[in-house]
């Protein structure tokens, strides 16, 4: 198993600004993912963070809005750029394999 | 389009009873299905994976069935306890050959003492 931590746990940001969320895994994992979850809704995959190369984004998500880095096998960042109130959500990172993922506690983002 | 359905209404049961949660899917032919538990303010926690060629899988008080004909998985918790109260998510491997799972919305389980 793996333990995943995220920073910050929550933030309130102003429209037009950017926030970078950090995700740290306590052991090397093959894959890392970034999700978004609205209250009472399912997890929506934003992208797969690839080590040393560009992330693979899902339909509806673009690199300019959600740049992702993964410099090594235990760390990744997600930036939410030029934020609007519609970006208010919980952002979760996970690591592991497609067959078993370990999730961080999430970052609750509110954009005013 | 592919769709995963979990009951959006909370399931309320009495302690000691068996809780049964349902995950239905359409337009999928998943190779596997997963169940996760999510507590408020926390990320999901992996519970079980069942493959398409497996009918049933057990882990302690948990039992999962997978009926590819009915396109349905049932998730059972026997001898339920108030500590089992949480939201339970099912996830299927992605459509179009993607190995990355797609999650359902989850069903909230409330176990009353």
């Amino acid at each position: 198993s793996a333990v995943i931590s995220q920073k910050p746990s929550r933030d309130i940001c102003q429209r037009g600004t950017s926030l970078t969320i950090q995700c740290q895994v306590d052991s090397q994992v093959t894959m890392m993912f970034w999700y978004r979850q609205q209250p009472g809704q399912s997890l929506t995959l934003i992208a797969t963070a690839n080590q040393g190369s560009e992330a693979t984004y899902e339909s509806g998500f673009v690199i300019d809005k959600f740049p992702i880095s993964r410099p090594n096998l235990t760390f990744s960042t997600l930036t939410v750029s030029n934020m609007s109130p519609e970006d208010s959500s919980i952002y979760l990172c996970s690591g592991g394999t497609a067959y078993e993922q370990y999730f961080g506690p999430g970052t609750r983002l509110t954009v005013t | 389009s592919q769709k995963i359905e979990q009951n959006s209404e909370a399931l309320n049961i009495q302690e000691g009873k068996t809780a049964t949660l349902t995950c239905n899917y359409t337009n999928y032919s998943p190779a596997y299905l997963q169940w996760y538990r999510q507590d408020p303010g926390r990320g999901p926690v992996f519970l079980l994976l069942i493959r398409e060629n497996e009918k049933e899988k057990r882990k302690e008080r948990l039992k999962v069935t997978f009926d590819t004909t009915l396109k349905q998985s049932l998730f059972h918790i026997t001898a339920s306890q108030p500590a089992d109260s949480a939201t339970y998510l099912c996830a299927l491997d992605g459509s179009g050959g993607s190995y990355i799972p797609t999650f359902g919305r989850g069903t909230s389980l409330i176990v009353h003492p």
Side-chain angles (χ1 to χ4, degrees), chain A residues 60-98:
Chain A
F61 297 96
V62 295
I63 187 172
D64 290 344
K65 175 69 175 176
F66 297 100
I68 289 170
S69 78
R70 189 181 175 190
N72 55 53
L73 291 175
T74 64
F75 185 78
S76 179
T77 66
L78 167 74
T79 299
V80 186
S81 303
N82 188 25
M83 288 184 284
S84 66
E86 292 71 37
D87 295 320
S88 297
S89 188
I90 298 170
Y91 292 84
L92 293 145
C93 77
S94 74
T97 69

Side-chain angles (χ1 to χ4, degrees), chain A residues 31 33 45 48 56 58 98-99, chain B residues 28-32 92-102:
Chain A
M31 308 182 74
F33 304 98
L45 182 63
T48 301
T56 305
E58 298 298 303
Y99 304 108
Chain B
Y28 263 105
S29 293
Y32 63 84
L92 280 69
D93 62 303
S95 59
S98 169
Y99 51 86
I100 302 172
T102 300

